[in-house]
Every structure is written in C-alpha cells, then in structure tokens.
Amino acid sequence: MVLMTQAPVTSRATRRQHDREIVALAVPAFGALVAEPLFVMADSAIVGHLGTAQLAGLGVASALLMTAVSIFVFLAYATTAAVARRVGAGDLQAAIRQGMDGIWLALLLGAAVIAAVLPTAPTVVELFGASDTAAPYATAYLRISALGIPAMLVVLASTGVLRGLQDTKTPLYVAVAGFVTNAALNAGLVYGADLGIAGSAWGTVIAQCGMAAAYLIVVVRGARRHGASLRPDAAGIRASAQAGVPLLVRTLSLRAILMIATAVAARLGDADIAAHQIVLSLWSLLAFALDAIAIAGQAIIGRYLGADDPEGARHACRRMVQWGIAVGGVLGVLVMIARPVFLPLFTNDTVVKDAALPALLVVALSQPICGIVFVLDGVLMGAGDGPYLAWAMVATLAVFAPLALLVPTLGGGLTALWGAMTLMMAMRMLTLWLRTRSGRWIVTGATR
C-alpha cells in the first residue's frame, strides 16, 4: 500500500518539476521571439512617413534580409542542442567551447553573405519585383543593412549558447534593449539627422551590433570563468557546420512550403492573396507561442540526454506534448472568438473578410496539431536528430506541393489552401510522432 500511494505523488512531483522548467524557459523565450519582428514593425512605422516609395523599398529589402537570416536559424538550433548536452554531462567548459565554435561559424557565414549581397543588391531587388521608384530605396537599405548580417548571425548563435545553458532570460533582456535602441536610433537618424531610409538601415545595423556585443560579453565572461578557449577551432567549426546542414535543409523545405502557399494564393486573385497575408500573419504570431515551448524542449531534452537520463528525456517529452496540445487548444479557441474583431484591424474590404473568415476557422482548428508539431520538432532538435528532421520535411514538401498546386483547379479557394496547410502540419505530426515513438532519437552522452 505504501508503494502504491507513493507512485502518484512521485509522478505529480515530476510533472510539477517539468512544468516549472518549461515555464521558466518558454515564457522568456516567447518574449524574445516576439521582440524580433518588432524591429521590422518599428522600421516600417518610421520609414512609412517618408513616403510610399520608401516604404515599398523597405518592404522588399526587409523581406530579403529576413529570408537570408532565417535560412541560418540552424545556428541557434544546433548550438542549443550541442551546448545543452555538454551541460547535462556536467562539462561547462566544453559546453561554452562548443558555443564558441557556433559563434565563429556565424561570423564566417556573415562575412560570406556580405560579400554576396553588396555587389548583387540591385539585381536581387529587381528580381523581387521592386518598382522603378522603390528599387533605389530597397537597394540602399539592403546594402547598408547587409553590414549588420554578421551581427545578426552572432545573435542567433549566441542565443543558442545561452538557451543550451538553460538561460532564456538574457536573450529576452537583450532583445528588448535592442528593440528600444533600434527605434530610438531610427527616429533620430531618419528625421533628426535627415538621413532618410539610409538612417533607418544604419540604426538597425548599430542596434544589431550592440546586441551581438552584449551577447559576446556574456559568453566571453562565461568562457573565462570556466577556462574555455576563445580561439577559433577548425575542427569544431566544421562540426558545427555539419550539424547545421540537415537543419538548413529542413528550414529551406519549410520556406519552400510557405512560398508555394503564397504563390497559390496569388493565383486565386487579389482578394484571396490579401486575405492569405492576413491569415499567414496570425498563423506566424501563433507560431511564436508554440515555438517558445519547442525552444524549452531543445534545451531540456539536450540536457537530459547529455546527463545519460533517457527516462527523464521521455518524461519531459511527454509533458511538453501535453503542454503543446493545451496551448494549441487555447490559441485555437482564442482565434475562433477573436475572428470578427481581428479582421477589421487589417481590412474593411468585405470580399477579403469573407475569404479570410473560413480560413481562420481552419487555422483555429489546426492549433492543437501545430502544438504537437512544434514540441516534437523541438524535442528532436534537442536530441540532435537533424538528419531525420531534414528527411521528414523534404517528404512533407513533396506531398504538400502537388496538393497546394491543385487548389486553383479543384476549387475551394483560400479555405482549401489552408486545408492543405493543415494536412501538411498533420503529416509533419505523423512523421515526428513515429520517430519519437520509435525511441531512435534517444542517444545519450555529451555528444551524439
């Protein structure tokens, strides 16, 4: 009888422990994630008062920059998993050394991107369809902002280091400080110094460099405290790059899915593409909340596996899935309730509203699925299971592409397109669930 009464208590205590860890990591991570798009919003608000051509140029240049940076998000994901394993193994010196390899890789990639962007900026802007009036502004903004790309990538890698060290509060503080600095600099340089759109670009570059410097100060202090070398290590940088390649494939496949969806929506007509952009913006905002749990998953799972605790990893995975379903359910209910209030914030066009309303219902119903997908994605990233994630996403793209491309022919409009998006998420859930259930992702030790 004593043993029977003790088991549930232990189970509840374990759940409470996981809950505390998830909340402690996910809440600050969510704040940092939300702060990132605020950079673009602040730039848009300030540049928008310069004129339509300037705002259009900013739109093209920002889209190009965000695409370039998002491609290298593996710098955060792969670094988180690698550092967390070392933390779990109790080797903080090696953990920070691993993080430094990721930071050096970020600097090398940043330099390569600058070398590619500066001479090709006018051509790239033209390929993205900028008008003759907007193109000069887009080119100017892109060339100046490209100088901040190494700092942006260092921010990604350093964020991964701190997440691996189970610290998501510092990235939140840095992100908030960066946003405030960016807004103040942009306003001062655009209007005070009368630099126009170039002032906005320089403000963003300075803010990003400041954020990178703040992260480096934290990481360097940690390295000195634990005796970790700061020098570049060719083998370590190469290992970081190799770990990032599968996650790069995953990210490119996901970007391709989103691009196909946008292209199909454009073929449906002006009202549908307008409605699609509204729905996609909300879907992306909801993704931040779910991605915060995934980030917690990366850090927690990596730590358990590094500590040779497979059962702890399984229990944490199970609890995070429950969190994903619960948060997804709450988000879905909120979307259904807020649909009539949300749409007028973006448009007064009745046709656009009529196209967006049923699509938003599909998005609402899919949120519990999205919750599972984001969590399991984070779990497998934390386990360093990048090759499987790459294969699964490529397979998902192969299934989604023909389904989405058939929407204009078969009918159903935007609702059908978002139905295809939901099927895409369902397939991701299936592939991730099968992998998690198999247990093949559970590889313990300081390295995978």
Side-chain angles (χ1 to χ4, degrees), residues 245-251 253 385-395:
V245 168
L247 296 180
L248 175 61
V249 173
R250 168 200 168 275
T251 300
S253 299
D385 204 11
Y388 181 84
L389 290 172
W391 172 87
M393 190 60 80
V394 170

Side-chain angles (χ1 to χ4, degrees), residues 53-267:
Q54 289 90 333
L55 184 58
L58 173 66
V60 172
S62 294
L64 288 167
L65 285 167
M66 294 306 294
T67 299
V69 174
S70 66
I71 287 173
F72 298 113
V73 73
F74 69 83
L75 289 167
Y77 294 158
T79 305
T80 298
V83 172
R85 276 184 176 270
R86 299 284 190 177
V87 169
D91 191 348
L92 289 177
Q93 182 185 68
I96 296 176
R97 174 65 259 179
Q98 190 96 43
M100 286 303 305
D101 293 335
I103 291 172
W104 280 112
L105 176 61
L107 288 170
L108 292 174
L109 290 174
V113 173
I114 288 179
V117 169
L118 290 182
T120 62
T123 303
V124 174
V125 166
E126 183 180 351
L127 288 174
F128 268 69
S131 67
D132 291 339
T133 54
Y137 297 111
T139 301
Y141 189 93
L142 182 60
R143 276 180 165 160
I144 295 171
S145 295
L147 300 176
I149 286 179
M152 295 180 192
L153 300 189
V154 167
V155 166
L156 284 177
S158 301
T159 300
V161 175
L162 295 181
R163 288 173 182 171
L165 293 171
Q166 317 296 296
D167 176 11
T168 56
K169 290 183 179 179
T170 300
L172 172 60
Y173 300 148
V174 174
V176 171
F179 166 70
V180 173
T181 303
N182 178 67
L185 285 171
N186 280 8
L189 293 174
V190 170
Y191 297 113
D194 198 25
L195 294 178
I197 194 170
S200 176
W202 281 116
T204 300
V205 169
I206 295 169
Q208 291 286 354
C209 289
M211 292 172 65
Y215 275 120
L216 288 176
I217 289 171
V218 174
V219 174
V220 168
R221 283 178 178 172
R224 289 176 175 171
R225 187 182 309 119
H226 297 286
S229 173
L230 299 174
R231 295 178 179 178
D233 177 66
I237 295 171
R238 187 165 53 250
S240 294
Q242 290 172 346
V245 168
L247 296 180
L248 175 61
V249 173
R250 168 200 168 275
T251 300
L252 290 174
S253 299
L254 180 57
R255 298 292 301 184
I257 287 171
L258 297 177
M259 289 175 64
I260 289 170
T262 299
V264 170
R267 291 177 60 189

